[in-house]
Amino acid sequence: MKSVLDSQKAVKALHPDHPRIEGPLKVTGAAKYTSDIVLPGMLYAVPLGSSIASGSIDSMRTEKAEAMTGVKAVYTHYNIGPIFRVVSAKGVMGHMEETRPPLADNRITYYGQYVALAVADSFEAATAAARAVEVSYKAGPAQVAQLSPTAAAKVKSERGDADSSFASAEVRIDHVYRTPAQTHNPMELHATVAVWEGDRVTLYETSQGLVNHRLILAQALGLPLENVRVICHFLGSGFGSKLFPWTHSALVASAARKLGAPVKMVLDRSMMFHAVGHRPETLQRLRIGSRKSGVIQSLHHDYVSQGSLLDEYIEDCGRVTPFLYSTPSLKVAASLDRKNVGAPTTMRGPGAVPGEFALESAMDELATQLNIDPVAFRLKNEPAIDESRNVPFSSRHLKECLNAGMKRFGWEARTSVPGSMKQDGATLGWGMSACAWDALRFDAEVTTELFADGTARVSTCSQDIGTGTYTALARMVSELTGLPIDRISVALGDTDLPPGPTSGGSRATASLVGAVGEATRKAIAAVLETAAANNDEPFKGATADRFRLREGKVAMDDSSGPSATIAEVLSRAGIHKVTGSGKSAAIQGAGEKEKHSIHSYGAHFCEVRWQPEIARLRVQRFVSVIDAGRIINPVAAQNQIEGAVVMGIGMALFEETRYEAKKGAPLNSNLADYIMMTNADSPPIDVEFLDYPDTILNELGAKGLGEIGIVGAAAAVTAAVYHATGVRVRELPVRIEHLLRA
Ligand code: MOS
């Protein structure tokens, strides 16, 4: 069957001034998202989710559902046939969170777990059939209640004798912080469309990592890798929920194989709360010991992450703690408290976001206790090297972020006593935090082609999660070739293309820089060789080593000489195109052979306005200064940080997935009850980028910046809330009830 999307179709700017080359496709509706895919003869799948969170299926009856008009099949654990268990690797390639195959048996471990899949010739018929499946359960007790700090802990990082240093410290704080479960709510729902041709399957997916998706689905479906093709041209974001495949993908592919027809499934919003990951609840104890002068002596970070019953994801709250501040002694330890919930997963800034809420809150509390300005306290404890690994930082400009942020925010005017700052009868609160996030790379391969018609095409199997990967690639090729951006097309989102990086961990752009550079330079070299090999007018008699690309023109080394366009050189030689391929290898960071500690840094400053007489709290101003190396696309970069800060404020004030205690169902599994930031809640966000290219990471010096903006942001908000109200909120989200204690 012919794909509805031409795999070779690439995205190209309609106009050189578009900030996003794919923008016009999106605003005109021409961009096809996975749920837009309609194939001839396509069937619709709708799952039935378990109404219990723990126990087993006693019996099922599907006859009524199967007899309904338009219904093609109803699958359960009795008849789905083999979907293989995936051997999940640690890391990003070859990984999925929920490794139990869907409909594997009658065991139930979380509410909403798929127990049946109805397939029909319309979505409505499939929905009605799924509801008509009769299931009787044997329900066991569901454990969804709050985490307890009793589980056995594993030491993640340790130096010195943190216990005795803490015991003998002149000043100590010891506090417990809680962050709730949170649900990713990208606008675009998760979806799969599966279509088979013989024993080959094409999957239209909502995936942040197509290369990994293919690896996993080939295993689950029992196919050689080359028999699986995965396509995803556009994503309506994912925030980590689309980083790894979820069970619906194999389920839909299996149904399509059995029925010999394309099958589509789009999750509804409520399924997004249990079937495709969430940020798990955390419980964190921070103990910091310091000299009276404000020099840290000891740092303990103990955390418990909510986990699911069968999976291994743990919210790695301590990932930044070992290197953010200087301390002679430190101990970071983690544990998992398993509950009857769907598999948790990465959510924007995984680990670091809850972790730095706790760490940065504790830093603020200790600064308050020491009566030292919180910015000065951080500056005092700036490390010279990564003390956890004894390696230098590739680049670290946290001090500069803090100083620039203070200036931009006007921090000098702050008076330290809570409630002491007033504005028009209201109370102001000023708080701040520091932040750090990984700056790493995945493997990447890129092809650049230069054509005789004066256009270029760059391609890789990465995907644009919405952050601007199409535009970033076009800009890089434009810069290297001198071709205007509207002559460059970008092909992404298809496993038929050279394998590219996952759009996760803020690494896609940083991963692609080196490969795009190499591929494009090789293609340019092929043009120059062509010019030398066919050197009649205007280059008569010149040798290859004398050719250069200068401002987009092929020219001789002496700048006054003749020149020709790439198009002219190729046309004269009768060549349609030249091709260059480039590769760059992963830099995975800590614990490996890497000689540097490579991270992005930042500082957040937040102003809240508090009106106690009407219990009204608003975040009214936010300043973020970010050290993310060289910024490739300033407009897209600012947009990333603004979006991340909005999410961070939402984490502080609103976001929380609540589970119903008996049935274990997410209670607020819709966009009305799961409260998120709206434009009306969002303050002006002032973003400044420092410009310190980190060429240890890649040739342009571009570090990751998708996630750094949310890390630490919630702690800046709660620090500001304390400064306004005198109430220290250690359990997110901040509620009016907390503040009424003031
Ligand atoms: Mo991000 S949580 O790595 O998609």
Side-chain angles (χ1 to χ4, degrees):
M1 186 172 299
K2 200 179 166 329
S3 308
V4 287
L5 280 174
D6 170 8
S7 68
Q8 302 309 311
K9 193 165 100 180
V11 172
K12 171 173 163 308
L14 295 179
H15 188 276
D17 293 338
H18 274 302
R20 289 296 186 91
I21 67 166
E22 83 286 14
L25 296 175
K26 288 181 173 171
V27 297
T28 59
K32 282 222 187 297
Y33 291 80
T34 302
S35 60
D36 296 326
I37 304 287
V38 177
L39 300 176
M42 189 176 80
L43 303 173
Y44 296 81
V46 173
L48 175 67
S50 167
S51 61
I52 64 167
S54 172
S56 59
I57 300 167
D58 202 24
S59 65
M60 296 183 83
R61 295 184 68 87
T62 56
E63 296 87 341
K64 216 189 278 175
E66 282 160 342
M68 293 170 80
T69 309
V71 174
K72 302 293 178 189
V74 177
Y75 297 111
T76 67
H77 64 280
Y78 296 111
N79 65 344
I80 186 66
I83 296 175
F84 295 101
R85 180 176 288 274
V86 166
V87 179
S88 209
K90 288 260 180 268
V92 166
M93 285 300 165
H95 181 75
M96 77 185 292
E97 304 289 10
E98 184 173 347
T99 52
R100 175 189 180 273
L103 307 183
D105 53 37
N106 70 342
R107 185 175 175 199
I108 303 293
T109 60
Y110 63 90
Y111 175 91
Q113 181 186 318
Y114 301 138
V115 297
L117 186 77
V119 187
D121 58 13
S122 72
F123 170 72
E124 292 76 10
T127 303
R131 286 181 189 154
V133 173
E134 297 158 274
V135 191
S136 81
Y137 297 99
K138 258 195 210 122
Q143 300 291 341
V144 291
Q146 272 201 333
L147 302 178
S148 56
T150 52
K154 185 177 157 200
V155 175
K156 306 280 277 190
S157 182
E158 188 169 19
R159 58 181 185 261
D161 185 344
D163 290 323
S164 69
S165 302
F166 181 72
S168 61
E170 291 170 352
V171 183
R172 288 187 291 268
I173 58 129
D174 180 352
H175 294 299
V176 170
Y177 302 87
R178 283 180 184 272
T179 63
Q182 295 178 318
T183 298
H184 319 73
N185 275 291
M187 288 305 293
E188 183 200 25
L189 299 163
H190 287 235
T192 297
V193 180
V195 54
W196 291 79
E197 288 170 88
D199 59 356
R200 300 167 70 92
V201 67
T202 299
L203 298 165
Y204 297 92
E205 282 292 349
T206 50
S207 169
Q208 294 174 233
L210 295 182
V211 175
N212 175 61
H213 198 100
R214 182 194 203 197
L215 283 169
I216 294 297
L217 268 291
Q219 285 190 58
L221 300 171
L223 295 173
L225 200 58
E226 59 274 20
N227 287 22
V228 180
R229 179 177 176 195
V230 189
I231 295 173
C232 176
H233 286 124
F234 298 100
L235 276 162
S237 199
F239 303 119
S241 70
K242 297 168 182 168
L243 207 50
F244 304 110
W246 294 97
T247 57
H248 65 269
S249 183
L251 205 51
V252 171
S254 294
R257 174 154 60 181
K258 281 174 169 288
L259 291 166
V263 176
K264 176 185 202 167
M265 174 171 149
V266 183
L267 274 70
D268 68 26
R269 186 61 64 176
S270 72
M271 293 176 205
M272 303 270 288
F273 282 75
H274 57 249
V276 289
H278 63 279
R279 193 199 297 281
E281 186 188 340
T282 75
L283 169 66
Q284 304 175 58
R285 182 180 181 197
L286 262 294
R287 281 170 284 169
I288 313 178
S290 155
R291 295 219 178 98
K292 280 188 190 136
S293 62
V295 176
I296 296 173
Q297 296 299 297
S298 167
L299 172 51
H300 283 83
H301 192 170
D302 296 291
Y303 53 97
V304 186
S305 167
Q306 176 208 56
S308 61
L309 240 51
L310 302 177
D311 315 295
E312 296 312 315
Y313 183 85
I314 179 163
E315 188 73 11
D316 192 9
C317 299
R319 64 193 291 171
V320 169
T321 312
F323 68 85
L324 194 54
Y325 299 110
S326 177
T327 175
S329 76
L330 169 137
K331 193 170 179 180
V332 175
S335 62
L336 199 56
D337 190 0
R338 294 182 181 279
K339 302 287 186 193
N340 288 102
V341 296
T345 191
T346 55
M347 180 167 164
R348 203 172 195 175
V353 167
E356 288 186 60
F357 164 68
L359 174 61
E360 288 301 289
S361 294
M363 287 293 287
D364 197 68
E365 298 209 45
L366 185 50
T368 303
Q369 196 161 320
L370 289 161
N371 203 16
I372 297 179
D373 176 85
V375 180
F377 181 45
R378 283 153 173 101
L379 290 170
K380 219 180 239 290
N381 290 286
E382 175 73 9
I385 59 163
D386 181 333
E387 295 173 0
S388 69
R389 294 174 52 217
N390 260 316
V391 294
F393 295 110
S394 60
S395 68
R396 169 170 165 136
H397 299 280
L398 178 55
K399 275 187 171 176
E400 290 84 346
C401 290
L402 291 164
N403 286 322
M406 273 208 291
K407 201 170 286 171
R408 221 172 161 97
F409 190 82
W411 187 258
E412 297 79 4
R414 184 178 185 263
T415 53
S416 65
V417 177
S420 62
M421 292 178 72
K422 303 286 179 191
Q423 181 189 59
D424 308 332
T427 306
L428 292 185
W430 285 7
M432 56 76 56
S433 68
C435 60
W437 177 251
D438 301 351
L440 299 169
R441 289 192 341 216
F442 295 124
D443 290 322
E445 288 183 40
V446 170
T447 299
T448 302
E449 295 155 292
L450 300 174
F451 295 91
D453 66 357
T455 63
R457 182 179 189 273
V458 55
S459 50
T460 181
C461 182
S462 190
Q463 49 289 306
D464 193 335
I465 184 178
T467 50
T469 307
Y470 280 113
T471 306
L473 287 174
R475 288 176 79 107
M476 285 187 254
V477 173
S478 173
E479 199 164 300
L480 289 162
T481 57
L483 293 171
I485 207 157
D486 59 345
R487 312 234 76 195
I488 296 160
S489 59
V490 183
L492 295 173
D494 186 335
T495 53
D496 278 0
L497 300 170
T502 284
S503 301
S506 304
R507 296 181 208 182
T509 302
S511 306
L512 287 165
V513 164
V516 174
E518 185 188 352
T520 308
R521 277 191 294 271
K522 281 185 179 166
I524 292 168
V527 172
L528 302 183
E529 280 158 28
T530 305
N534 299 275
N535 59 356
D536 45 5
E537 294 307 332
F539 304 124
K540 209 169 175 97
T543 52
D545 58 330
R546 294 193 51 205
F547 287 95
R548 302 281 180 277
L549 196 67
R550 210 174 53 218
E551 285 155 22
K553 297 266 181 71
V554 178
M556 315 292 285
D557 44 8
D558 89 80
S559 56
S560 58
S563 69
T565 62
I566 292 172
E568 286 161 351
V569 168
L570 296 180
S571 303
R572 278 185 206 134
I575 289 171
H576 170 58
K577 69 166 181 187
V578 291
T579 304
S581 342
K583 253 190 189 192
S584 84
I587 293 181
Q588 294 293 9
E592 292 171 36
K593 59 183 189 303
E594 269 52 277
K595 293 186 189 68
H596 294 90
S597 172
I598 314 178
H599 298 90
S600 295
Y601 294 89
H604 298 300
F605 293 80
C606 173
E607 176 178 283
V608 300
R609 180 182 166 88
W610 169 235
Q611 294 164 272
E613 62 286 356
I614 54 168
R616 185 175 193 269
L617 178 80
R618 305 282 297 176
V619 174
Q620 73 173 14
R621 193 157 71 89
F622 213 96
V623 171
S624 294
V625 181
I626 303 294
D627 163 31
R630 165 146 183 232
I631 304 303
I632 291 178
N633 182 343
V635 176
Q638 181 171 336
N639 173 254
Q640 276 300 294
I641 299 303
E642 286 175 0
V645 167
V646 165
M647 231 169 150
I649 300 170
M651 172 181 179
L653 301 182
F654 302 128
E655 289 198 42
E656 174 182 25
T657 306
R658 305 192 73 155
Y659 296 92
E660 192 271 321
K662 271 194 189 134
K663 286 170 80 179
L667 272 175
N668 52 343
S669 58
N670 58 72
L671 294 185
D673 296 325
Y674 185 88
I675 312 299
M676 282 181 286
M677 292 282 282
T678 64
N679 284 334
D681 300 307
S682 302
I685 299 165
D686 180 17
V687 180
E688 177 178 345
F689 291 107
L690 303 184
D691 185 22
Y692 296 101
D694 186 333
T695 49
I696 287 173
L697 184 60
N698 56 50
E699 62 183 72
L700 294 182
K703 298 200 276 192
L705 59 70
E707 289 159 299
I708 183 74
I710 180 176
V711 179
V717 177
T718 52
V721 167
Y722 171 75
H723 186 235
T725 65
V727 177
R728 186 66 74 172
V729 180
R730 303 192 184 98
E731 182 170 349
L732 295 184
V734 175
R735 294 173 202 285
I736 291 302
E737 295 89 313
H738 290 133
L739 304 184
L740 292 178
R741 287 178 217 145

